[in-house]
Amino acid sequence: STPYMDEAMRCDRVALIQNGNILAIDSPQQISNGFGRRLFSIKSANKYSLITALRSMNETVSAFPFGEAVHVTFIDDRVPLNIAGYLARHGVADAAISGMKPGIEDRFLELMQTGDEAAETLKTSLT
């Protein structure tokens, strides 16, 4: 048992658990591969304004801080065309956006958002 995803990556098989519910059981790589959307990393000197602006965008599905960046998913799995102007209007003029491969922690956060559905599906597949 560990709350550290970098530690979990060293295991052959892991279970992601939230509030006593198992959200996923598999190898760390397979869990990461289950991420359902295209993921982007966005960096800015003003990370608080960046995350606040991203979370207020209609096109944003999720926006979570990860180190120096914010990991973001969008409704259409692509960066909205109006993002630079939108972020600039919210005080973020230096955003650097790149696509990225999701990790196990990204998948865990995704599963937490849909936890009840994921736990029910897993229960059904285990019985």
Side-chain angles (χ1 to χ4, degrees):
S1 173
T2 182
Y4 303 107
M5 295 299 157
D6 58 332
E7 238 182 303
M9 288 300 293
R10 297 184 209 146
C11 298
D12 295 325
R13 189 169 159 93
V14 296
L16 298 180
I17 302 171
Q18 177 67 21
N19 295 327
N21 291 317
I22 296 174
L23 304 177
I25 300 174
D26 212 329
S27 70
Q29 188 59 51
Q30 284 302 107
I31 289 174
S32 296
N33 291 347
F35 194 81
R37 295 191 164 275
R38 197 158 164 225
L39 185 64
F40 299 91
S41 174
I42 305 180
K43 293 182 181 180
S44 169
N46 188 344
K47 192 162 94 172
Y48 179 77
S49 292
L50 174 63
I51 199 166
T52 301
L54 288 168
R55 288 182 174 172
S56 71
M57 282 187 79
N58 291 335
E59 296 91 343
T60 301
V61 174
S62 66
F64 293 106
F66 274 79
E68 295 178 357
V70 177
H71 289 190
V72 186
T73 59
F74 297 105
I75 290 171
D76 294 330
D77 283 338
R78 60 187 163 151
V79 177
L81 296 175
N82 65 337
I83 195 166
Y86 185 87
L87 292 176
R89 286 190 301 280
H90 287 83
V92 181
D94 64 340
I97 304 169
S98 60
M100 64 170 298
K101 185 176 178 183
I104 192 169
E105 193 165 355
D106 295 300
R107 180 67 172 135
F108 181 62
L109 291 170
E110 179 184 54
L111 287 167
M112 283 178 37
Q113 287 183 313
T114 59
D116 293 336
E117 178 185 316
E120 194 56 42
T121 300
L122 184 62
K123 272 186 210 173
T124 303
S125 71
L126 292 174
T127 55

